Amino acid sequence: EALLFRDLLASVDTPLTNNAVRTKNIEIAASMLNETILLPGQEFSYNGALGERTEEKGYGPATAYANGELVEEVGGGICQLSSALYYCCMLADEEILERTNHLYYQTYLPLGMDATVSWGGPDFRFKLKDEYPILMKAWIEGGQLKTEIWGTKLDDSYVELEYHVDYTVPHKTVYYEHKNVKSGKRVITDYGRDGMQVTTYRVRYKGDGTLIERVTEAVNVYSARDQVIVVAIGERPKK
């Protein structure tokens, strides 16, 4: 019993945005995940643990991506927690059963380390292969989402995560005209993101730093998103 949840297996802090509704959604999700115990051989489902995200549960509409479009979705933002948990699961060397990267790359974690979720799918799932149970913790503090996995280490081996950008696809810039924009002014409504393919690796080491193996974790393909600039009527640049 003294061995239970003795060791911090993995942790990560990810920065929150200044969107109060999005932060509240993440706080609710974190409170539902916090103190969850998983037994050896047991499978964990993020959607199963949180259930459907509804206004009755306190979730509000916040920015999310659906089919490549920027939308307001109830529960928007909780992918930050599923991503942080995925990151910790890799560091803790757990078995990933289901994980999908976002349509566009995210900035709160290293490239290729995110996990998007939505009610009805996709889901994030993993299986505990350890001999002892684990305890998952998640809470908000100081503008950060803090995520941890506690368990029992039986040796001094450890995992590091790496990524490689295989190629990039530069984003385009599109212009729109609007009567509310003054002449000579430009309003950037979306800074855009480059598309890319990113390969991630799980690298296992002995306690003395000797490499055990370097295995491919996932090949992530992110789409490019246009930069959007709004100008005055008649001032769209000529192609």
Side-chain angles (χ1 to χ4, degrees):
E1 188 173 317
L3 296 176
L4 293 177
F5 318 126
R6 178 189 65 184
D7 304 308
L8 178 60
L9 304 182
S11 66
V12 67
D13 295 346
T14 53
L16 299 168
T17 68
N18 58 4
N19 184 316
V21 176
R22 183 180 185 277
T23 297
K24 181 64 175 178
N25 291 341
I26 296 173
E27 186 175 32
I28 295 171
S31 69
M32 298 186 71
L33 176 70
N34 193 40
E35 302 297 331
T36 296
I37 293 175
L38 202 64
L39 301 178
Q42 189 175 0
E43 296 183 7
F44 173 86
S45 162
Y46 189 80
N47 279 337
L50 268 61
E52 185 174 3
R53 279 67 80 179
T54 65
E55 292 181 346
E56 288 73 22
K57 294 180 179 179
Y59 291 102
T63 301
Y65 284 99
N67 300 317
E69 297 296 328
L70 193 63
V71 299
E72 292 288 307
E73 183 178 273
V74 173
I78 66 164
C79 290
Q80 183 166 338
L81 177 57
S82 58
S83 297
L85 184 59
Y86 169 57
Y87 183 85
C88 285
C89 283
M90 289 191 291
L91 284 176
D93 210 14
E94 305 303 348
E95 180 183 354
I96 307 302
L97 300 176
E98 179 183 352
R99 172 261 173 184
T100 304
N101 63 267
H102 285 80
L103 180 63
Y104 308 113
Y105 74 83
Q106 303 301 303
T107 58
Y108 46 71
L109 281 168
L111 294 174
M113 311 293 181
D114 58 293
T116 186
V117 293
S118 182
W119 182 248
D123 195 3
F124 169 60
R125 299 186 301 116
F126 72 95
K127 181 178 180 179
L128 180 58
K129 65 179 186 179
D130 302 354
E131 296 181 34
Y132 286 84
I134 61 170
L135 173 67
M136 290 173 271
K137 290 179 173 287
W139 73 99
I140 286 176
E141 181 182 321
Q144 303 272 330
L145 168 64
K146 296 179 174 290
T147 310
E148 298 177 345
I149 295 179
W150 288 79
T152 307
K153 280 191 68 65
L154 300 179
D155 58 44
D156 58 359
S157 64
Y158 61 94
V159 170
E160 291 186 353
L161 305 176
E162 299 177 356
Y163 71 86
H164 178 265
V165 178
D166 304 318
Y167 63 80
T168 60
V169 179
H171 68 269
K172 299 178 181 178
T173 300
V174 296
Y175 293 85
Y176 294 98
E177 298 178 356
H178 197 281
K179 62 181 180 180
N180 291 341
V181 177
K182 295 181 179 180
S183 179
K185 297 291 184 181
R186 293 187 173 190
V187 179
I188 300 176
T189 60
D190 193 325
Y191 283 90
R193 291 195 178 173
D194 291 341
M196 62 182 68
Q197 178 176 294
V198 179
T199 302
T200 52
Y201 303 91
R202 199 186 303 207
V203 191
R204 298 182 176 94
Y205 294 93
K206 294 181 180 179
D208 62 4
T210 302
L211 174 67
I212 300 174
E213 61 179 347
R214 183 175 186 263
V215 297
T216 300
E217 181 69 28
V219 177
N220 311 271
V221 179
Y222 298 101
S223 297
R225 191 173 79 235
D226 292 340
Q227 180 185 45
V228 179
I229 301 177
V230 184
V231 298
I233 300 298
E235 293 187 0
R236 184 182 307 179
K238 298 292 191 295
K239 291 185 178 180

